[in-house]
Amino acid sequence: MNKSVKNRLLIYLSLFLALIVDSYSFSNILQFIKPSFVLLVLIYWNLALPDRVGITTALLFGLLIDLLEGSLLGLHAFLFVIITYLCQRFFYQFRITPIWQQSFLIFIFSILLKQILALDFLDSVLNRTNLSDKYYFIHTLNYAILTSLSWPPVYYLCRLYRRRWIKIE
Amino acid sequence: MLRKEHKVSHISSEAIFAIPAMKPTKVLFSLIICFLLILSDINFKSSDILRGYGNDILNPIIYISKTPSLLVKNLISFFSSREDLRLTIQILEKENLKIQSINTLLEEISFENKRLNSLWDSIKEKPGQYSLVKKKHLSTNELKPVMTIGINRKEKGYAVNNAVISEKGILGRIISLGLYQAEVLLVEDSRSLIPVTSSSSRLHAILQGSGLGRLGNLKYIKKTANFEIGEKLYSSGLGGIFPTGYPIAKIESILDSPDNEFLNVKVSFLQSPLNQDHFLVLRNFGSDE
């Protein structure tokens, strides 16, 4: 098999593994605050191999998450594309920052992402475009904390995976 | 890294990476696609067909995600039963312990049976119209919670708008169907509007959800309405989607604020999809197909 195709397949495999982890349902509050591993793995590949992962991958996995979560079709895709663009646009800066600073940036990303997911375009509650309330904000913070705390292990795990399996010429 | 995409530093002999920037046109094109998708699905209508079959495709992923926990569970049960057996053989005189362990097991089974029985007892009429389904996945967005259930469409003839019921009352309705999966719009969802009747005052109202674990509210209740705190709300069946007389929620608070034209009636839902796995689907009632 062509090396480039093999690398691409391995990257997709890691994203699929993250999707499997994400699709696990908890029967308690953890269900709403569990970190999004697809997003973290996608960010990692955007930083590590920006020429291998791009907008198409973000779009595809965003749509898969939309189907899995039952959210507005294209909403996750839209967010993933923007995050991918930002990661690739600023990846020189992002890559060299210490891991805790990267975690902090992911914390900010996560809060924004969760708040955008609370947007309501149906006007289900009169004169409110955002359904977020106090509890949702607390869950958003917990989600962001868990996601940012998950970044270092995901980062090192993906790096190990890349060094072990993905050979770049 | 593709060839000729990096240079070598003359000072440190290290590779200098120069990744070509992402093309803005490509990003713009993708964002336009996303916008078009969002706009076409703004009412969650256009993607209904796609979602059902999409969930069918994603079913193996959900199944695989549950495999490790199943394995651990089986492994634990395997070792614990071995341990039980060893104890039974070794210490015959401790018959009492053995009976106790069997009793615990029986209690667990009878508890499960009780739950299934109460679920089955909640059927009002025509038991043949109900099918037992299992929860597959619950979305992480608590404000717009969507639950996926496993069905067999060919066998049972499920349809959109079939009511999903738990032993405590109505849980939601099917909004999208695949071959083996169906999406359920829960009553807690802010998109869900259900016509209800109160138990003691017999007043009609529209019940709207606000998200999982949150209090719902009754819409457009005139200040003259005499709802009581604690009274139960039942489906009135007026919309033609849900059957009549199933409990849904309980009134928690009634607030009469002077700056509001209507009463602010908050209700708590009687059931939650979080700690339950089995539900009933009422078929051939208010279906689209």
Side-chain angles (χ1 to χ4, degrees), chain B residues 7-288:
Chain B
K7 294 174 182 175
V8 177
S9 166
H10 292 301
I11 302 161
S12 62
S13 301
E14 282 182 355
I16 303 167
F17 294 103
I19 308 294
M22 192 178 268
K23 283 179 185 169
T25 46
K26 207 175 166 185
V27 179
L28 211 66
F29 183 67
S30 309
L31 289 178
I32 289 169
I33 290 176
C34 292
F35 262 124
L36 288 176
L37 277 171
I38 291 170
L39 283 176
S40 68
D41 194 35
I42 202 93
N43 293 323
F44 290 87
K45 294 275 180 210
S46 60
S47 62
D48 273 357
I49 307 162
L50 196 76
R51 279 177 202 287
Y53 294 108
N55 279 315
D56 278 342
I57 297 165
L58 289 170
N59 190 26
I61 290 173
I62 296 168
Y63 190 76
I64 294 167
S65 75
K66 283 181 181 165
T67 313
S69 65
L70 275 173
L71 273 173
V72 170
K73 213 173 166 182
N74 285 339
L75 216 68
I76 289 168
S77 102
F78 173 75
F79 283 115
S80 67
S81 33
R82 268 189 70 177
E83 189 64 30
D84 283 349
L85 202 65
R86 200 181 297 153
L87 274 170
T88 323
I89 295 162
Q90 279 178 355
I91 334 158
L92 270 170
E93 67 269 22
K94 289 182 180 176
E95 194 71 27
N96 201 17
L97 268 178
K98 184 188 163 191
I99 293 163
Q100 266 180 1
S101 75
I102 291 168
N103 271 347
T104 323
L105 208 70
L106 276 175
E107 261 172 37
E108 208 177 305
I109 293 164
S110 66
F111 177 71
E112 196 64 33
N113 264 343
K114 222 172 167 180
R115 282 193 77 169
L116 286 172
N117 273 335
S118 64
L119 184 63
W120 199 248
D121 288 343
S122 63
I123 293 172
K124 302 277 178 195
E125 58 209 8
K126 294 182 186 171
Q129 283 189 334
Y130 294 83
S131 340
L132 193 67
V133 291
K134 201 179 174 196
K135 179 173 87 177
K136 290 276 178 182
H137 183 256
L138 182 70
S139 71
T140 51
N141 192 345
E142 63 209 89
L143 296 173
K144 293 169 189 170
V146 172
M147 187 176 75
T148 313
I149 51 170
I151 55 161
N152 192 345
R153 196 174 170 184
K154 281 178 187 168
E155 248 178 47
K156 304 277 187 177
Y158 296 90
V160 169
N161 283 340
N162 281 170
V164 179
I165 298 162
S166 75
E167 76 254 36
K168 286 177 187 164
I170 288 174
L171 192 89
R173 65 183 168 90
I174 291 177
I175 49 165
S176 171
L177 275 170
L179 287 175
Y180 300 102
Q181 308 275 317
E183 267 191 2
V184 179
L185 178 78
L186 300 170
V187 287
E188 284 101 331
D189 198 305
S190 55
R191 292 172 285 165
S192 158
L193 296 165
I194 304 171
V196 289
T197 325
S198 60
S199 57
S200 51
S201 53
R202 310 304 298 165
L203 289 166
H204 284 265
I206 301 285
L207 171 63
Q208 187 184 30
S210 307
L212 270 183
R214 288 163 176 77
L215 295 176
N217 58 298
L218 294 183
K219 291 191 92 175
Y220 313 120
I221 302 298
K222 283 189 178 174
K223 297 210 169 183
T224 50
N226 51 350
F227 282 105
E228 288 164 23
I229 292 173
E231 70 176 313
K232 277 189 177 177
L233 297 169
Y234 293 87
S235 55
S236 67
L238 284 180
I241 290 175
F242 295 105
T244 318
Y246 277 90
I248 302 176
K250 194 177 85 176
I251 295 180
E252 288 293 334
S253 70
I254 302 167
L255 189 73
D256 184 2
S257 51
D259 59 339
N260 200 338
E261 197 183 338
F262 302 106
L263 281 177
N264 187 1
V265 184
K266 293 280 178 202
V267 301
S268 62
F269 291 94
L270 299 175
Q271 68 294 306
S272 165
L274 271 176
N275 40 20
Q276 258 182 298
D277 279 339
H278 292 93
F279 306 101
L280 290 171
V281 174
L282 173 59
R283 290 171 288 113
N284 310 321
F285 185 93
S287 59
D288 275 358

Side-chain angles (χ1 to χ4, degrees), chain A residues 31 55 69 119 124 139 168, chain B residues 1 138 140 142 144 208:
Chain A
Q31 176 66 16
I55 294 293
E69 291 289 313
L119 287 179
S124 1
H139 288 172
I168 307 288
Chain B
M1 182 74 54
L138 182 70
T140 51
E142 63 209 89
K144 293 169 189 170
Q208 187 184 30

Side-chain angles (χ1 to χ4, degrees), chain A residues 90-105:
Chain A
F90 300 104
F91 97 100
Y92 285 111
Q93 289 94 326
F94 198 82
R95 216 163 138 162
I96 54 164
T97 51
I99 195 95
W100 68 268
Q101 279 181 30
Q102 290 179 5
S103 292
F104 180 71
L105 284 171

